[in-house]
Amino acid sequence: MKVIKKSHYITSFNRQHKPIIEIDLNQPFIIETQDCYCSQIKKEDTLRSQINGDLMNPSTGPIFIREVFAGDVISLEIMKIQLEDQGLMLTFPGLGPLGDLIEEQKTKILAIKDDFIYFNEEIKFPISPMVGVIGVAPKEGDIPTEYPGDHGGNMDTKEIREGSKVYLPVSVDGGLLALGDLHGAMGDGELSGMGLEIGGKVQVKVKKINTKTIKMPIVETEKEFLIIASDKDFKAASRKGILYASQIIQEKLNLNFQDAYSLLSATCDIRISQIVNPLLTLKIGLPKTLIANIFPLNI
Ligand code: CA
Ligand code: ZN
C-alpha cells in the first residue's frame, strides 16, 4: 500500500501548490500526519512561544487523485486511524473561550496506552480518534489550513473517524487533497481551543460519486448524513446549513419547501463541531431512517 510521508505538508489549501504524489481511485493508501504544531513539541518544557508559529495545522499533501476533475464529488472513506503513543494539549493566554483567564502558558504531554489517554495518574479516558483537517484546493485563493470551509479544511468534526466517509466538492482537477490534525479525543465544540493533538497514520480510500456537485462537505456515519456548515457566527452558519439540509430533504423526499422545513425541524439535530477556529462549524444530522441514500443530488 502506498504511504505518503508526513514530511510533505501544506499549511494552506491552494491550487498553485504542486502535488507531491498521484493516487488512483478505489485504492486504499496511507497518509502519515504531523500533529498540529508540526511535531515541534515533544516535552512539557517546550512552550508555545518557543516554536515556529508559522507551522500550524500542517496537512499532508497535496495529493492528486487521478480521474477526478473540477465539478466532481469525491468520498474519502476513513478506513483506519492509528495514533502515535503520545499527544499534547496546550493552554496559553488568549486560547479558546476562556483564554482571558489564563496567565501562563503550559504544555501537557499525554501518554496513550492500551487505547486509553492518561490525563494524570488518577484520570484516564478512552481514545476516540478523529481527523481535524481534511480538504481539497479551492477554485481560487489561498485558504490557511486553520480555516474550515466549503472545501473542507479545519472542520474539527468528531464524527470524521474510523468508518466514516467525508464527501467533498472538487474545485480543481485532481482535487489536491490534504489531511492532518488528528485528535486522540475531542468533545463537540473543542472547548479549550484544541483536542488531544497528535500525529499518526490514516488509511483512506477515495471514490468518485455520481452526483451534481455539493455546496458544502457532508459526512456519512453509520446512522446519519451530517451537513457541515462553516461561517462567521452561529446565525450565518446555521442559516447556511439549515437551508441546504431543507433543500436536500425537499429533493430526496419530493416535498415542497414548507413541508421539508417542517420535517427537518421534527427529525434533524443541529450540533456544534467547533467554536474555536476562525470560522464556526456546525453540523446538521439527517437520519438515515429518513434518507437512506443521499446521492445522487440534483440541486
Ligand atoms: Ca483543528
Ligand atoms: Zn487539532
Side-chain angles (χ1 to χ4, degrees):
M1 210 179 302
K2 260 187 191 160
V3 179
I4 305 177
K5 295 280 177 201
K6 63 182 173 185
S7 52
H8 303 287
Y9 60 81
I10 50 173
T11 55
S12 68
F13 288 93
N14 186 324
R15 67 183 303 157
Q16 309 295 347
H17 294 325
K18 266 211 156 70
I20 52 158
I21 193 167
E22 291 192 8
I23 60 115
D24 290 314
L25 288 170
N26 311 312
Q27 299 283 336
F29 61 99
I30 291 171
I31 305 176
E32 277 185 9
T33 63
Q34 313 265 2
D35 65 43
C36 73
Y37 293 108
C38 214
S39 314
Q40 296 178 91
I41 302 178
K42 291 289 174 202
K43 291 187 185 135
E44 295 198 330
D45 56 10
T46 309
L47 300 175
R48 172 75 177 81
S49 59
Q50 296 168 324
I51 62 169
N52 180 352
D54 293 336
L55 302 180
M56 292 288 295
N57 282 312
S59 299
T60 306
I63 300 162
F64 186 98
I65 307 150
R66 292 187 188 116
E67 293 169 70
V68 160
F69 302 99
D72 285 345
V73 172
I74 51 171
S75 93
L76 303 143
E77 185 181 344
I78 311 292
M79 301 173 76
K80 201 167 177 46
I81 303 177
Q82 203 181 327
L83 302 174
E84 287 174 359
D85 55 10
Q86 70 170 35
L88 61 131
M89 295 195 79
L90 307 190
T91 43
F92 51 85
L95 177 68
L98 304 183
D100 57 309
L101 302 180
I102 301 171
E103 283 167 6
E104 277 182 6
Q105 40 178 344
K106 187 177 173 192
T107 295
K108 200 170 170 62
I109 300 283
L110 297 101
I112 299 185
K113 227 180 108 188
D114 301 329
D115 293 344
F116 275 86
I117 296 164
Y118 286 78
F119 195 74
N120 59 31
E121 275 162 27
E122 282 100 45
I123 302 171
K124 63 171 182 175
F125 52 93
I127 59 166
S128 187
M130 57 164 276
V131 178
V133 175
I134 182 167
V136 288
K139 196 168 174 199
E140 51 197 31
D142 186 81
I143 305 180
T145 46
E146 189 189 357
Y147 276 73
D150 298 341
H151 69 298
N154 196 9
M155 295 183 281
D156 284 324
T157 295
K158 69 180 186 187
E159 289 83 359
I160 303 179
R161 60 181 179 230
E162 263 181 31
S164 297
K165 289 181 188 142
V166 181
Y167 299 97
L168 294 173
V170 171
S171 299
V172 308
D173 292 352
L176 302 186
L177 167 73
L179 181 155
D181 185 30
L182 304 185
H183 296 164
M186 187 198 90
D188 276 341
E190 199 175 14
L191 296 176
S192 81
M194 69 180 66
L196 178 92
E197 305 295 335
I198 193 162
K201 288 177 191 169
V202 185
Q203 188 180 324
V204 182
K205 188 162 70 181
V206 185
K207 285 189 178 165
K208 194 151 110 171
I209 303 299
N210 189 15
T211 179
K212 265 201 183 166
T213 192
I214 51 176
K215 294 178 181 164
M216 58 199 82
I218 296 173
V219 176
E220 179 179 354
T221 66
E222 196 190 342
K223 294 204 166 113
E224 57 190 354
F225 292 98
L226 297 164
I227 310 304
I228 310 293
S230 299
D231 214 313
K232 61 181 191 306
D233 56 24
F234 184 83
K235 197 174 172 192
S238 61
R239 182 181 168 87
K240 181 176 162 175
I242 294 166
L243 178 62
Y244 193 36
S246 67
Q247 289 168 339
I248 292 172
I249 292 178
Q250 235 183 295
E251 186 196 307
K252 298 313 290 186
L253 300 179
N254 202 14
L255 297 173
N256 65 32
F257 169 69
Q258 279 162 297
D259 279 348
Y261 193 36
S262 295
L263 188 61
L264 169 76
S265 182
T267 58
C268 301
D269 293 324
I270 193 166
R271 307 198 294 272
I272 290 166
S273 286
Q274 60 76 25
I275 58 167
V276 295
N277 295 338
L279 300 174
L280 177 117
T281 305
L282 300 173
K283 49 199 169 193
I284 296 175
L286 307 178
K288 285 186 171 172
T289 48
L290 195 65
I291 294 176
N293 294 305
I294 205 165
F295 296 112
L297 281 172
N298 291 300
I299 46 171

